[in-house]
Amino acid sequence: MKKLKDLWKKLNDTQKFFIVSVPLAVIIFFLIRPYIGTQSSKVPLLTSANSEFSYAKALSVPAQKGIVQNGRYALFKFTDKQIEDIEFTSKLDKTLSMSFLFEELGDYTENDFKLSYLYDSDFDAKGNYINVYTERVEVSGNLSLVSDNRFVMITFALPKIENSDKVKIPKGFTFCAQQKTKLVSIIAIPAITGTVDSEITSYCFSSNGGKLSKFLGAVDFSGSEFVFPTYETAYSNMPTITVGLKKSSEDDNQEFIQNKIDITIGGENFSLKTAPGLKEIKIPVLPLKNPFSLVEVKSGAEYVSGITMSSTSPNYKSKTNGKVLIPYAADPGLILNWSPSKWRNPDYELFCWDRFPNYLIFDFKNYSVQSKFLGRLAFFIEKQGYKGRLLTNEELNGKHDYNAHDYSAESLAKFFTKAKAEHFLLTNEEELLKEILIHNKIIIESGDGFDAGEGCILSISQESNGWLRDRLFAHEGWHMFYFSDEEFRNYITACYYTCDSNSLNFLIDYFKSQDNLGYDTNDDYLMQNEFMAYLLQQPQNQVAEYFVSLAGRGSVMKYTKVLSDYVKETKGIYFEDAAKMINDYCFDRWGITGGNICLIR
């Protein structure tokens, strides 16, 4: 021991430091070795809408800061709490994608990149990462060639578990890049596939992964069937295709100028129209023949900012004992051609206008079914000589209501309030109608009756042929705007009272001459509403011809010959003038015009 003390005294400070520190470093290394590479990363992760940002475990040195280069891998493992939150997010829509925001930290032309998930097979029984190469599904490509700035969003969907509505949740993920690249953030979201070419370009992959490539007006959705529901249930909905629209230039806002986009979806042809201020057009995939296939822009690609397929929130209890209460949201052009074979109820299907969700739309099997739902309403609300009365079934027998219908929330509330007050026995169909209206807050139960809620309803029938369905839908559709928009009503009032008096009197006489219409021509609100709808039910360039045709009908000439002759002599020009005023207003306000309220064909 004395010799050791003497030897220690002869050592300088540097020698003493190494003798003490090296063994101590070895001891510390073995103490912390289990924790090396498993500290939290600095990459924020949002696992659900209700959670706060958290941080995954870093399994490699590059993962600690989320920065890679020279082909090195950043390896991340989710915490148990993060996996629990991610699983909760996946249950909301029955789908899930993880969205990764990357930043290139330099100006590159070549930046080979790979991103993939880690699953149970990548870890041992103790949860430690197994450092062996296994073939994984991945997103890969040249990161520098797919974006016009240094940020790129890559969204990678997770697969559905076979024969289940659950999603396969990963344990973590890994990415690598040749040039210096930073992972900025990660967010768990409902599934989305396709491409969004905006300020930050987003490439959204199915669970099959794929190659990064520039968006050139086509997206292949084959593989998305492994991510989204492929059929409808009460608790899961098929996805929606969204066509993103670029901002229109000032020249595009000229009178009635609308950009046209022609696309094919699985071989089906669609024509889309843009509208001022419209950022996207949505196409639910349910009525499509082959939605999980190639979508290609045939013309108008310069107006398209991207095409995606995204999760649709489930319509819980959308069908209860055969009663359809929750509407499908769609453009009128899709509703008009929605096959009855895909209806949830054989007698009717319920929709709402996607741009105006308070506008409920019924499509009925035939006129007979439609009358069971709405016939009594027609007489109570509009028919001259019957308004305000609840006709009995015997009184209704043999009477014609309408081939298509439209009613405001106020009128519907009055009808059901009176029926309740008089203990009037309604049909099963009318009771179902009331339930649908209450469920969608068109009418609201209040005390001994009902108050008007938000919105209105429209109906058409499969019994009308294709041309007539288009015309009726256009006519009734404009009534929905009239019911719901006070500013529009005020504008129509101004047009009504400035219209040529002889032409206006002809229209009122026309209404009186047609027994099947039965309009109460003393109702100023109704007359202004119908004046507007008759002008806008066809394109502006057909308005004059339409009214000249009405003036030539035998029943009309017999009732009002002088005014009929006047309309023919003036060639309907005053109707066309009024239609132009209203069309200008409607295009500026909603981007739609007379006879053509659909954005999708």
Side-chain angles (χ1 to χ4, degrees):
M1 181 64 69
K2 185 176 181 302
K3 290 182 179 181
L4 287 174
K5 288 181 179 179
D6 292 340
L7 178 61
W8 181 258
K9 291 178 181 179
K10 293 178 182 180
L11 296 176
N12 59 37
D13 290 341
T14 302
Q15 290 170 325
K16 290 178 180 178
F17 172 79
F18 275 101
I19 289 174
V20 174
S21 63
V22 170
L24 182 60
V26 172
I27 292 170
I28 292 173
F29 172 78
F30 280 102
L31 286 173
I32 69 171
R33 186 179 181 185
Y35 305 100
I36 292 177
T38 61
Q39 58 264 50
S40 295
S41 74
K42 295 183 178 180
V43 181
L45 165 62
L46 188 63
T47 50
S48 72
N50 297 322
S51 69
E52 297 180 351
F53 279 107
S54 59
Y55 301 90
K57 296 177 182 178
L59 303 182
S60 65
V61 173
Q64 293 171 16
K65 293 185 178 181
I67 298 175
V68 299
Q69 59 184 329
N70 301 323
R72 297 185 69 188
Y73 280 82
L75 295 146
F76 298 83
K77 185 180 182 182
F78 298 130
T79 66
D80 291 343
K81 179 64 167 60
Q82 287 171 337
I83 291 175
E84 180 182 325
D85 288 345
I86 292 170
E87 188 171 22
F88 173 79
T89 300
S90 74
K91 290 178 180 178
L92 297 178
D93 289 276
K94 313 298 182 185
T95 68
L96 188 74
S97 283
M98 300 296 288
S99 191
F100 303 84
L101 178 61
F102 291 96
E103 179 185 10
E104 291 190 283
L105 300 177
D107 297 323
Y108 309 115
T109 56
E110 294 291 334
N111 190 6
D112 291 337
F113 169 87
K114 292 180 181 179
L115 170 68
S116 57
Y117 288 117
L118 300 175
Y119 288 95
D120 286 330
S121 58
D122 294 296
F123 299 90
D124 62 21
K126 295 182 179 180
N128 297 315
Y129 175 69
I130 303 172
N131 191 18
V132 295
Y133 175 79
T134 57
E135 187 174 346
R136 300 187 181 98
V137 175
E138 63 185 17
V139 172
S140 63
N142 186 343
L143 207 60
S144 297
L145 294 183
V146 296
S147 178
D148 294 329
N149 60 44
R150 68 179 192 270
F151 291 98
V152 179
M153 184 81 77
I154 296 177
T155 300
F156 198 174
L158 300 169
K160 296 182 296 184
I161 298 175
E162 191 173 359
N163 298 322
S164 170
D165 61 357
K166 294 183 178 180
V167 172
K168 186 177 181 181
I169 306 298
K171 294 289 187 181
F173 66 95
T174 176
F175 79 96
C176 72
Q178 194 61 40
Q179 304 292 347
K180 195 173 184 180
T181 302
K182 179 182 180 180
L183 176 57
V184 179
S185 63
I186 319 156
I187 302 177
I189 60 173
I192 181 172
T193 59
T195 304
V196 180
D197 189 9
S198 58
E199 292 181 4
I200 297 179
T201 305
S202 298
Y203 295 91
C204 310
F205 292 87
S206 75
S207 57
N208 288 350
K211 294 286 185 181
L212 289 163
S213 60
K214 274 278 192 182
F215 174 67
L216 298 175
V219 173
D220 190 355
F221 287 121
S222 58
S224 294
E225 66 266 32
F226 300 113
V227 176
F228 301 105
T230 55
Y231 56 91
E232 297 274 316
T233 72
Y235 301 99
S236 63
N237 284 47
M238 295 178 72
T240 299
I241 292 174
T242 300
V243 179
L245 303 175
K246 292 182 179 178
K247 289 182 179 179
S248 299
S249 66
E250 292 181 359
D251 292 338
D252 292 332
N253 292 323
Q254 298 175 40
E255 181 183 12
F256 301 160
I257 297 298
Q258 288 183 299
N259 299 322
K260 184 182 176 184
I261 302 165
D262 292 318
I263 67 172
T264 61
I265 303 177
E268 287 185 279
N269 297 317
F270 293 84
S271 178
L272 314 181
K273 292 189 306 180
T274 65
L278 191 67
K279 296 180 180 179
E280 60 188 22
I281 295 176
K282 291 185 175 294
I283 305 173
V285 306
L286 175 60
L288 306 183
K289 294 178 181 177
N290 301 295
F292 301 106
S293 55
L294 182 67
V295 178
E296 189 173 8
V297 181
K298 293 297 186 180
S299 67
E302 64 271 27
Y303 308 122
V304 178
S305 65
I307 302 173
T308 57
M309 181 178 285
S310 57
S311 176
T312 304
S313 297
N315 286 338
Y316 295 108
K317 298 182 180 179
S318 65
K319 180 178 177 180
T320 304
N321 297 325
K323 297 186 293 186
V324 177
L325 304 179
I326 296 178
Y328 282 124
D331 181 82
L334 290 175
I335 295 171
L336 284 166
N337 293 281
W338 200 289
S339 173
S341 66
K342 297 187 177 181
W343 285 6
R344 291 168 288 177
N345 182 293
D347 283 339
Y348 75 98
E349 184 54 275
L350 181 65
F351 303 94
C352 67
W353 197 331
D354 55 358
R355 294 176 64 196
F356 311 98
N358 291 324
Y359 296 2
L360 280 190
I361 299 163
F362 291 82
D363 196 355
F364 288 107
K365 177 181 178 180
N366 52 41
Y367 295 144
S368 175
V369 172
Q370 181 175 240
S371 292
K372 290 177 182 177
F373 277 82
L374 301 172
R376 201 185 322 269
L377 262 163
F379 286 88
F380 176 83
I381 294 170
E382 290 187 357
K383 294 281 189 176
Q384 191 165 18
Y386 303 99
K387 286 177 63 176
R389 284 181 51 206
L390 294 173
L391 272 63
T392 64
N393 293 339
E394 291 75 15
E395 289 175 309
L396 283 173
N397 188 33
K399 287 184 172 64
H400 173 74
D401 43 82
Y402 298 118
N403 292 342
H405 296 251
D406 60 90
Y407 303 110
S408 66
E410 290 78 9
S411 295
L412 293 163
K414 288 177 182 178
F415 175 84
F416 286 106
T417 295
K418 188 172 182 65
K420 186 174 183 179
E422 296 183 359
H423 304 288
F424 191 91
L425 184 62
L426 299 173
T427 65
N428 292 335
E429 290 81 5
E430 289 167 332
E431 290 290 349
L432 174 55
L433 173 65
K434 180 172 66 176
E435 187 175 351
I436 292 170
L437 296 175
I438 293 171
H439 186 89
N440 289 281
K441 297 181 173 57
I442 304 295
I443 61 174
I444 300 168
E445 291 184 278
S446 177
D448 293 331
F450 299 89
D451 291 335
E454 295 287 334
C456 47
I457 68 170
L458 171 158
S459 81
I460 52 175
S461 165
Q462 289 286 315
E463 192 169 337
S464 300
N465 61 38
W467 174 88
L468 184 57
R469 278 169 63 83
D470 281 2
R471 177 61 59 87
L472 290 172
F473 199 109
H475 180 103
E476 310 299 345
W478 286 112
H479 285 315
M480 301 177 92
F481 288 96
Y482 190 85
F483 291 144
S484 304
D485 196 296
E486 183 179 5
E487 182 182 322
F488 185 49
R489 289 196 298 272
N490 292 337
Y491 187 80
I492 296 304
T493 297
C495 293
Y496 185 82
Y497 285 115
T498 56
C499 182
D500 173 65
S501 59
N502 285 334
S503 297
L504 187 59
N505 288 333
F506 164 80
L507 180 61
I508 294 173
D509 276 358
Y510 164 73
F511 292 153
K512 293 176 179 178
S513 71
Q514 306 302 301
D515 293 335
N516 63 320
L517 293 178
Y519 293 145
D520 181 358
T521 55
N522 295 315
D523 185 335
D524 207 37
Y525 178 96
L526 177 61
M527 288 298 96
Q528 292 181 36
N529 195 356
E530 294 300 336
F531 162 79
M532 174 276 304
Y534 272 81
L535 291 175
L536 295 185
Q537 68 185 14
Q538 60 275 308
Q540 180 185 312
N541 61 6
Q542 298 177 17
V543 169
E545 180 183 351
Y546 172 75
F547 282 95
V548 169
S549 174
L550 289 186
R553 289 187 185 180
S555 59
V556 180
M557 293 178 66
K558 182 179 179 180
Y559 188 91
T560 181
K561 185 177 185 312
V562 173
L563 291 178
S564 294
D565 290 341
Y566 176 81
V567 170
K568 287 185 284 186
E569 288 169 5
T570 57
K571 299 182 179 179
I573 191 62
Y574 296 113
F575 288 113
E576 184 177 311
D577 289 344
K580 183 181 186 307
M581 291 174 60
I582 302 174
N583 270 287
D584 287 346
Y585 176 93
C586 294
F587 184 77
D588 290 341
R589 185 87 185 276
W590 299 296
I592 51 179
T593 57
N596 202 6
I597 61 176
C598 307
L599 295 181
I600 303 174
R601 283 290 183 183

